[in-house]
Amino acid sequence: MNAESHLKRGKEIRKSIDLLKSDKDHTSSIVELTYGCSMHYIAYGCETRFGAHKDIHTGLQRFLRERDEEEIAIAFGRLETIRHGRWYGGKGNGETVDEVLKILNQIVRWANED
């Protein structure tokens, strides 16, 4: 998939997240969609910056670190931790949604920087 296709897909998924985010009954769906959306924005950002990206999550943090994108690697790692369910029992759904949306916003800003 090329950079523009990743950006288009990311925007499409973001619209779905926006439809669900006001209803905390959809926390699991929002987390999953945020994870996928983030991968598309990271792919877009990497492709436009470096001319290369990873289409899978395995090794993505290492790929980012090798390109001195430590903050985005950390943000994506945090999102992976949340996705794996470690926080579902310990935080309210509203807190989880707020946190993943904050991470997504950070990744979107990064991806769209010139």
Side-chain angles (χ1 to χ4, degrees):
M1 191 178 278
N2 66 28
E4 292 305 315
S5 295
H6 279 292
L7 180 60
K8 181 180 177 184
R9 186 66 51 86
K11 288 179 178 181
E12 174 189 319
I13 296 169
R14 184 68 186 259
K15 287 180 184 178
S16 297
I17 294 166
D18 289 342
L19 290 171
L20 294 174
K21 70 183 181 184
S22 65
D23 186 346
K24 304 309 183 207
D25 288 339
H26 296 289
T27 300
S28 295
S29 298
I30 292 167
V31 170
E32 289 297 321
L33 287 170
T34 301
Y35 185 80
C37 187
S38 293
M39 287 189 59
H40 282 290
Y41 274 101
I42 290 171
Y44 171 75
C46 286
E47 192 63 40
T48 58
R49 281 176 170 75
F50 313 119
H53 69 277
K54 291 187 66 75
D55 279 327
I56 60 172
H57 67 94
T58 305
L60 182 56
Q61 289 180 68
R62 182 178 339 108
F63 180 85
L64 290 163
R65 285 188 172 101
E66 288 170 351
R67 285 152 184 83
D68 295 321
E69 297 294 348
E70 184 69 22
E71 285 183 34
I72 298 305
I74 290 169
F76 186 73
R78 178 73 184 127
L79 194 54
E80 281 195 313
T81 298
I82 294 167
R83 182 177 180 247
H84 287 270
R86 294 183 185 168
W87 294 102
Y88 280 96
K91 285 190 168 185
N93 287 343
E95 290 177 54
T96 300
V97 169
D98 290 345
E99 186 171 359
V100 298
L101 292 177
K102 180 179 175 185
I103 293 167
L104 177 59
N105 289 334
Q106 176 186 0
I107 290 169
V108 169
R109 279 191 307 275
W110 168 83
N112 288 302
E113 288 175 351
D114 290 297

